[in-house]
Amino acid sequence: WFLAQECRLFRHRLEGLSSRSSSTNNNGLREFLANNDFDLDPVSREEKERLSDKLQKVPGGPMSPGEFINTQYYRVPFVQALELVSRRECYVEKGQAYVPLARIVSIVAAKFRVALSKSLALAAGVFGQVAHDEASRIGPLLKSMNSQYTGPGAPNAVMGADGENALTAATVDALADQSMPLCMQQLYQGLKRDHKLKHQGRLQFGLFLKGAGMSLEEHTLFFQREFTRIMTSEQFNKSYSYSIRHMHGKEGKRASYTPYNCMKIIFGNPPQSGVEHHGCPYKHYDDQNLDALLTKLKIGTVADRDVILSHKKDGNFQLACAKHFEVSHPSAANVDGVNLEGVGNHPNAWFSASVSYHNAKNGGGGGASSSNVEIVKQEGAMAM
């Protein structure tokens, strides 16, 4: 997964550099190739003229004679340009592919992938030795690095105009329908339907509520209200109250547990169908069930849902979630006070951005609750 995302980011930046180069006639891409010692063989003017008819017939190539004259071509072994060859986007002669500068991005990205893959393999090979040799100094940090979240969108609290937490047992129903991401909506709906959640669901949903500002008392009241529909208050207090207090740092080692970010949810244990409700719908639902759910919730248009499903099929689950936010909150990027950092990376960031969006759209009035709602950083936010 990491390799795929790094290559995608690298390619995106290269394509941006290429487009700026072509639009401003600067040498940004050439400078990048030169500075990073990419040994590419430029095609001479004489050879370019000899092959001009064939090069100009390549689909999507330079459209006019002027563009062709100003386009730099490179000659590379065709095995390094297999992606372009498969799409018929380069001319091949005697085992050599003739590639215009604008399409050299594909070859550079392939080289980057090979180099990164080798480096990751090397790092994996020495990881155990380094962790052992540095056990007392950085060993614990290395071993827990894959579970750390350092990006934007750390948990925020939804606050009312009076400075009190707006997310309470009384307001959670309205806020769930309006502003929770799909993963939390499914946990909420599962809780309302079954009047209980399995262990992983209680952790994922409970820590989300805590990070969004729900107090220990309101958290207990909300869960007790639902659970006691199928059990007595005594059974609830005996089996579930302790774990809620533990989440809020009031029991056990009194640690301040943080809400799950998207990576932890995506790579966590998948839910058992029909029994558990935790996890990421974009990751853990099949295409048919996800499509049916999005349609039932009336998420965007058919075209919007097709884009979301396309991201899901490509394994870009966070992009699918971000697209869901985009179609559910039109023009959110242009609304004052809406912080989109972390949307698609953290459920609490999604929730915070949504509530602030609806606040702004309602002129600062209430949104989902009867009081004014605004998003502020939680005082003494839980350390990630």
Side-chain angles (χ1 to χ4, degrees):
W1 182 90
F2 175 79
L3 179 63
Q5 303 312 311
E6 284 295 310
C7 291
R8 186 173 286 113
L9 175 60
F10 179 77
R11 187 176 191 128
H12 171 73
R13 289 176 171 172
L14 265 188
E15 288 173 346
L17 183 62
S18 177
S19 63
R20 290 194 300 272
S21 297
S22 60
S23 62
T24 60
N25 293 322
N26 64 37
N27 295 318
L29 188 54
R30 286 192 181 92
E31 291 178 1
F32 173 84
L33 297 175
N35 292 338
N36 290 276
D37 298 324
F38 279 94
D39 188 18
L40 298 175
D41 184 16
V43 176
S44 66
R45 180 178 299 178
E46 294 75 15
E47 188 173 11
K48 181 179 171 183
E49 291 177 355
R50 178 178 66 82
L51 299 172
S52 60
D53 290 342
K54 296 175 181 178
L55 294 177
Q56 291 184 78
K57 289 179 181 179
V58 174
M63 300 301 294
S64 67
E67 289 180 353
F68 177 74
I69 292 173
N70 294 324
T71 298
Q72 175 66 59
Y73 279 81
Y74 293 89
R75 181 175 45 240
V76 298
F78 85 97
V79 293
Q80 295 182 16
L82 293 178
E83 181 180 343
L84 296 176
V85 172
S86 67
R87 298 201 302 256
R88 300 186 178 183
E89 293 184 348
C90 65
Y91 173 68
V92 179
E93 181 180 282
K94 297 180 180 179
Q96 299 292 313
Y98 292 78
V99 183
L101 177 64
R103 289 180 177 169
I104 211 72
V105 168
S106 175
I107 296 169
V108 174
K111 286 178 175 286
F112 173 79
R113 185 183 183 91
V114 171
L116 180 59
S117 180
K118 289 181 178 179
S119 297
L120 289 173
L122 178 62
V126 301
F127 181 86
Q129 184 63 41
V130 172
H132 178 268
D133 293 345
E134 300 287 348
S136 62
R137 190 167 68 91
I138 61 173
L141 174 63
L142 289 175
K143 292 178 180 178
S144 65
M145 189 176 294
N146 66 325
S147 63
Q148 301 300 311
Y149 177 74
T150 59
N156 296 319
V158 181
M159 308 296 287
D162 56 1
E164 298 295 327
N165 288 336
L167 185 60
T168 67
T171 62
V172 66
D173 292 343
L175 284 169
D177 291 336
Q178 171 192 276
S179 295
M180 286 188 185
L182 194 59
C183 56
M184 299 305 164
Q185 279 191 3
Q186 291 304 102
L187 281 163
Y188 169 81
Q189 293 297 336
L191 175 59
K192 299 295 284 188
R193 182 174 60 252
D194 301 338
H195 308 299
K196 64 178 180 179
L197 288 173
K198 295 290 188 178
H199 176 69
Q200 290 296 333
R202 294 197 305 274
L203 279 177
Q204 183 177 324
F205 194 44
L207 290 173
F208 166 80
L209 295 175
K210 176 195 174 192
M214 182 174 279
S215 66
L216 169 60
E217 293 75 17
E218 293 293 332
H219 187 171
T220 303
L221 179 60
F222 172 49
F223 270 39
Q224 184 178 35
R225 186 179 69 195
E226 295 300 328
F227 279 55
T228 52
R229 294 178 185 269
I230 59 171
M231 65 182 68
T232 65
S233 295
E234 182 180 351
Q235 289 174 317
F236 173 81
N237 290 330
K238 181 179 179 180
S239 301
Y240 300 104
S241 291
Y242 177 89
S243 64
I244 296 175
R245 295 195 302 272
H246 193 273
M247 284 185 209
H248 287 261
K250 303 300 182 182
E251 298 287 356
K253 61 181 181 181
R254 301 183 182 275
S256 182
Y257 296 96
T258 57
Y260 292 175
N261 59 65
C262 290
M263 294 304 300
K264 185 174 181 66
I265 295 172
I266 289 171
F267 289 108
N269 294 326
Q272 296 181 28
S273 178
V275 179
E276 298 178 308
H277 307 288
H278 66 275
C280 171
Y282 304 108
K283 162 73 172 179
H284 298 124
Y285 287 18
D286 61 34
D287 295 350
Q288 185 176 358
N289 286 337
L290 180 60
D291 188 22
L293 176 61
L294 296 175
T295 302
K296 178 182 177 181
L297 296 176
K298 299 179 180 179
I299 304 299
T301 64
V302 174
D304 292 329
R305 294 193 289 273
D306 286 344
V307 173
I308 293 174
L309 288 169
S310 177
H311 284 316
K312 181 250 192 300
K313 292 174 183 176
D314 291 340
N316 298 320
F317 312 116
Q318 292 165 268
L319 292 181
C321 187
K323 181 63 177 180
H324 175 191
F325 184 93
E326 178 187 325
V327 301
S328 302
H329 305 79
S331 304
N334 300 322
V335 177
D336 290 339
V338 177
N339 181 8
L340 299 179
E341 283 192 277
V343 172
N345 290 322
H346 204 298
N348 287 82
W350 207 105
F351 179 69
S352 297
S354 177
V355 176
S356 59
Y357 172 87
H358 289 290
N359 255 0
K361 287 295 185 180
N362 291 327
S369 65
S370 59
S371 62
N372 292 338
V373 181
E374 61 182 343
I375 302 300
V376 298
K377 288 287 184 181
Q378 185 176 10
E379 196 95 17
M382 293 171 289
M384 294 307 295

